[in-house]
Amino acid sequence: MNGTDPSPSELAEFRAEVAAWLEQHKPADPGFLLPQTFMEVGSDQQLEFLREWQHKLWSAGYLGVHWPSEYGGRGMHAAFQHEVDRELRRQRTPITFNVIGLGWAGPLILDIGTDQQKALYIKGILSAEDIWCQGFSEPDHGSDLGNAQTRAVRDGDDYVINGSKIWTTMGNYARYMILLARTDPSAERKYDGLSFFLSPMEARGIETRPIQKITGEYGFTETFFTDARIPASCLIGGEGNGWRVAMQTLQYERGAAAGAAGGLPQVRISVSDLIDDIRHLRRDGQPLLEDPVVRDRLVELIMEEKALGLADRRTGLPGLNTDYPLSLPLSFKLRASEYQRRMRQYGLELQGGLGSLYVGDEQAVAGGFWQRAYFNNFATTIGGGTSQIQANIIGEQVLGLPKS
């Protein structure tokens, strides 16, 4: 999956190839609202558009470039996928929506799955034939993932599942779920009684109910298991090792571990986009961008955005990650999601009274883009562990601070 480091000229030639292909094949505006992230896929129309786009990108050889060729990838160096992703961002293509498969389940299966599991699941993840969802959070336990109470009881060649999960992204469309369930309720430590499954969603006894978000869109479901039988072969990592496997999965989700297939998980929004969208706004009869206070705040955001970009690049330099290998990626997830929240909120503040308008209002700035983007960003500050949980992790595991 790695191979010899490619030369700058090889990467440049490959990126030029990708750029030319995208110029010819990236989809035109479909005429309906597209999701800003993979957490807003709420209609069959959106799903089929994004599924077709991901399949086209993979068929051209530009998704999972560094995944093994025997499972649908190309077996090239990961740097080539990085060039694809940079070009996807530059050309503002639609998102590659199957993020839980591409970014979490896929890398996990490739790292610790059996050959049979790799052959069964990986190609379908890349092609978008098989959509994946995540069964971690539960209604009664908030961020206390280790206290998951969904039960999995072994019965011959099956496990029988009972319980419920919440905030299941694309649960109503998914074919498979990465599922954390309790197989030993008598374990002395709650973390020792958990197991991890690659669960089919089509099993009898599994039901999903859509959850409407503050934006009016859908994308999440609550998932119920009632005597649902899944094959014992769905177990991954061994019975009782679910907590360790879940923590490994969260490293992918938080960006602290490599291996994702690539693609564009969300629409990239920058300060330059904000500046472009407010150029025509005026305050007290003068262009808003001539206000020195506004300009000063925008410059602060530009500097922070640049710093985040440099911090992301630092994660790939071994010499800067020796003492605390996960400190940079873990802090990046927290800082980036909180930065995006503040930047989008400022985009609303700059609109004054127009900031109260929303998508569909003719007078809304940029069609209500910033309002929708602001509300959608809360999923990012919650997913993978809330910002508060992330701060605790950094304090305890990176800085060595006590829990109390």
Side-chain angles (χ1 to χ4, degrees):
M1 292 174 64
N2 294 316
T4 306
D5 289 348
S7 67
S9 60
E10 289 176 314
L11 292 176
E13 181 179 351
F14 182 74
R15 184 167 180 180
E17 171 196 316
V18 174
W21 184 87
L22 287 174
E23 289 288 353
Q24 286 191 334
H25 295 94
K26 66 180 178 182
D29 184 343
F32 55 84
L33 201 64
L34 285 175
Q36 293 179 337
T37 77
F38 71 101
M39 291 174 281
E40 290 100 55
V41 181
S43 71
D44 293 348
Q45 188 181 45
Q46 291 175 330
L47 176 72
E48 292 311 313
F49 177 90
L50 293 172
R51 191 198 292 267
E52 182 180 347
W53 165 237
Q54 182 179 316
H55 189 274
K56 182 183 295 185
L57 188 65
W58 167 72
S59 297
Y62 299 136
L63 192 62
V65 172
H66 56 300
W67 282 12
S69 55
E70 60 266 36
Y71 303 123
R74 293 179 65 177
M76 300 170 68
H77 195 281
F80 289 103
Q81 184 65 58
H82 181 66
E83 295 301 314
V84 174
D85 297 346
R86 289 175 60 192
E87 197 59 30
L88 291 173
R89 289 192 295 269
R90 189 185 73 82
Q91 296 205 28
R92 296 178 176 272
T93 65
I95 63 170
T96 41
F97 77 109
N98 197 14
V99 171
I100 295 174
L102 296 170
W104 312 342
L108 178 73
I109 295 167
L110 288 173
D111 281 348
I112 69 170
T114 64
D115 290 342
Q116 291 80 5
Q117 288 171 333
K118 294 173 187 177
L120 177 61
Y121 299 119
I122 296 300
K123 187 175 180 180
I125 289 173
L126 290 170
S127 68
E129 179 182 354
D130 298 337
I131 300 170
W132 284 71
C133 64
Q134 181 185 46
F136 279 17
S137 297
E138 295 186 359
D140 297 328
H141 304 292
S143 295
D144 187 9
L145 180 60
N147 200 31
Q149 295 299 310
T150 295
R151 291 287 308 277
V153 178
R154 184 71 181 258
D155 183 21
D157 293 333
D158 296 330
Y159 280 91
V160 180
I161 315 295
N162 282 281
S164 65
K165 299 290 182 176
I166 200 166
W167 310 122
T168 311
T169 305
M170 290 190 293
N172 53 325
Y173 293 124
R175 185 175 183 184
Y176 297 106
M177 168 188 279
I178 47 175
L179 170 66
L180 187 66
R182 188 162 299 281
T183 47
D184 184 5
S186 64
E188 184 175 347
R189 295 176 67 252
K190 62 183 180 181
Y191 306 106
D192 295 336
L194 297 167
S195 297
F196 200 101
F197 300 90
L198 309 175
S199 172
M201 289 292 286
E202 298 172 353
R204 181 179 300 176
I206 299 179
E207 177 192 0
T208 61
R209 299 177 191 170
I211 299 173
Q212 188 174 29
K213 303 198 301 179
I214 193 172
T215 60
E217 300 172 86
Y218 292 85
F220 298 118
T221 70
E222 190 168 5
T223 305
F224 300 90
F225 299 85
T226 306
D227 293 331
R229 285 184 172 270
I230 64 173
S233 59
C234 295
L235 181 71
I236 185 170
E239 187 170 300
N241 294 321
W243 183 251
R244 177 185 60 78
V245 179
M247 291 304 98
Q248 182 172 344
T249 306
L250 286 175
Q251 296 303 316
Y252 305 126
E253 182 175 354
R254 293 165 178 164
L264 199 62
Q266 60 185 8
V267 174
R268 187 178 180 89
I269 303 174
S270 67
V271 184
S272 62
D273 297 318
L274 175 56
I275 293 172
D276 287 342
D277 284 341
I278 65 171
R279 286 187 185 279
H280 69 286
L281 297 182
R282 303 178 73 85
R283 178 179 293 171
D284 298 329
Q286 300 297 319
L288 183 62
L289 287 176
E290 291 184 7
D291 185 315
V293 176
V294 171
R295 294 169 70 89
D296 184 65
R297 179 67 178 127
L298 288 172
V299 168
E300 288 180 354
L301 290 170
I302 291 170
M303 292 169 62
E304 188 173 358
E305 183 174 274
K306 182 66 174 177
L308 282 169
L310 294 173
D312 191 30
R313 292 177 61 185
R314 288 177 63 199
T315 61
L317 301 176
L320 298 177
N321 294 273
T322 302
D323 295 333
Y324 302 100
L326 299 181
S327 60
L328 287 173
L330 283 176
S331 64
F332 180 81
K333 190 274 181 189
L334 172 62
R335 292 172 58 210
S337 59
E338 285 296 322
Y339 164 77
Q340 285 289 332
R341 179 187 60 78
R342 288 184 283 104
M343 187 262 286
R344 297 172 193 210
Q345 184 173 9
Y346 190 57
L348 298 185
E349 294 174 7
L350 290 175
Q351 297 177 29
L354 295 175
S356 64
L357 304 180
Y358 197 63
V359 175
D361 194 299
E362 293 182 357
Q363 298 183 57
V365 175
F369 175 88
W370 291 94
Q371 287 82 346
R372 184 175 176 233
Y374 172 68
F375 285 132
N376 279 332
N377 192 70
F378 282 101
T380 306
T381 59
I382 295 171
T386 65
S387 291
Q388 293 79 10
I389 293 293
Q390 296 305 308
N392 285 343
I393 291 172
I394 294 168
E396 295 167 11
Q397 299 186 17
V398 177
L399 301 178
L401 300 177
K403 289 181 176 292
S404 59

